[in-house]
Amino acid sequence: GAGVSQSPSNKVTEKGKDVELRCDPISGHTALYWYRQRLGQGLEFLIYFQGNSAPDKSGLPSDRFSAERTGESVSTLTIQRTQQEDSAVYLCASRQFPDAGRQYFGPGTRLTVT
Amino acid sequence: SQQGEEDPQALSIQEGENATMNCSYKTSINNLQWYRQNSGRGLVHLILIRSNEREKHSGRLRVTLDTSKKSSSLLITASRAADTASYFCATDAGTSGSRLTFGEGTQLTVNP
């Protein structure tokens, strides 16, 4: 079946502009995660959605970052007033509960803030 | 700080040789997972080992886990040029919906 998809693949934006990144999880996966990966580094957790429960936003680095998810489908990550330090690859993953713990990752969105 | 830390940061070997990567972590975990990343984009899940397991095999991959030392190793046997990638360990501590905490990764280069 289809995997996790993300759009756009690449996004170049000017400092101060807002951006929206989209994630389509695997159908039926109740859990969805957003991670950020800066160049040459590991992934940092940003936010987690599980069904209709309140999201865990503990990884969001500032109030410029927000995310929404419609039910158990699409999620959007919004970054307002982008800064150069927001440049990174933003990865989305989904997971089906209950399961063994594996997460399925999308190809990521490479964000460049100029 | 990162929960998982990989060692070495970079590893260069010849095709056919074995590659060993190590990972250390700080807190108790439910499981530890290894992922591969090509060209800095999507991650591919390689193997998951639970906290009550000590060793696991999958094809040319062998993973060990030592919870007393809070460490894991990934062994790739008979490496191929196609194994060239970044390898990350990720720990699931059972918090925040089992979010994963990643290390910095090991860049493996397999020379033909």
Side-chain angles (χ1 to χ4, degrees):
Chain A
V4 178
S5 61
Q6 292 187 245
S7 61
S9 177
N10 291 281
K11 175 73 176 179
V12 180
T13 189
E14 292 180 353
K15 178 181 172 181
K17 295 282 180 68
D18 298 351
V19 295
E20 267 193 9
L21 311 180
R22 177 187 170 108
C23 171
D24 283 88
I26 293 173
S27 177
H29 282 197
T30 57
L32 186 147
Y33 309 78
W34 282 97
Y35 295 89
R36 176 174 72 178
Q37 185 179 31
R38 290 195 165 115
L39 185 64
Q41 298 185 17
L43 280 69
E44 305 169 75
F45 167 79
L46 296 177
I47 189 168
Y48 157 67
F49 295 90
Q50 170 61 40
N52 294 318
S53 302
D56 177 351
K57 305 178 182 180
S58 60
L60 295 179
S62 78
D63 59 7
R64 296 187 294 104
F65 287 72
S66 62
E68 293 184 346
R69 186 181 187 193
T70 307
E72 293 184 354
S73 61
V74 171
S75 175
T76 55
L77 176 68
T78 301
I79 308 173
Q80 294 178 312
R81 306 181 300 284
T82 52
Q83 304 294 313
Q84 287 186 330
E85 62 262 29
D86 297 335
S87 295
V89 176
Y90 290 82
L91 291 142
C92 172
S94 69
R95 177 184 166 187
Q96 184 173 30
F97 278 89
D99 70 343
R102 172 185 175 177
Q103 294 185 16
Y104 295 76
F105 282 83
T109 293
R110 185 179 300 279
L111 174 66
T112 303
V113 181
T114 61
Chain B
S1 61
Q2 290 287 336
Q3 162 81 317
E5 296 181 359
E6 282 93 338
D7 165 50
Q9 289 187 323
L11 179 62
S12 182
I13 59 175
Q14 297 299 124
E15 251 187 340
E17 294 180 341
N18 296 341
T20 300
M21 289 161 267
N22 302 297
C23 168
S24 61
Y25 58 92
K26 295 184 175 66
T27 67
S28 297
I29 60 172
N30 285 348
N31 66 69
L32 184 145
Q33 303 176 35
W34 286 89
Y35 287 82
R36 182 182 74 202
Q37 184 178 44
N38 290 84
S39 305
R41 299 306 290 262
L43 273 73
V44 174
H45 181 267
L46 296 176
I47 197 164
L48 180 153
I49 186 165
R50 298 184 184 282
S51 60
N52 62 354
E53 297 176 314
R54 293 295 167 258
E55 187 171 314
K56 204 161 183 180
H57 297 256
S58 177
R60 294 183 295 114
L61 305 180
R62 172 179 171 254
V63 168
T64 62
L65 179 64
D66 187 334
T67 53
S68 67
K69 295 181 180 177
K70 292 186 168 60
S71 68
S72 173
S73 68
L74 171 68
L75 169 68
I76 304 174
T77 60
S79 64
R80 305 167 183 167
D83 294 330
T84 295
S86 292
Y87 291 82
F88 294 89
C89 70
T91 52
D92 173 359
T95 58
S96 298
S98 292
R99 76 190 211 193
L100 296 177
T101 302
F102 285 80
E104 300 290 319
T106 293
Q107 172 61 50
L108 172 67
T109 302
V110 181
N111 301 299

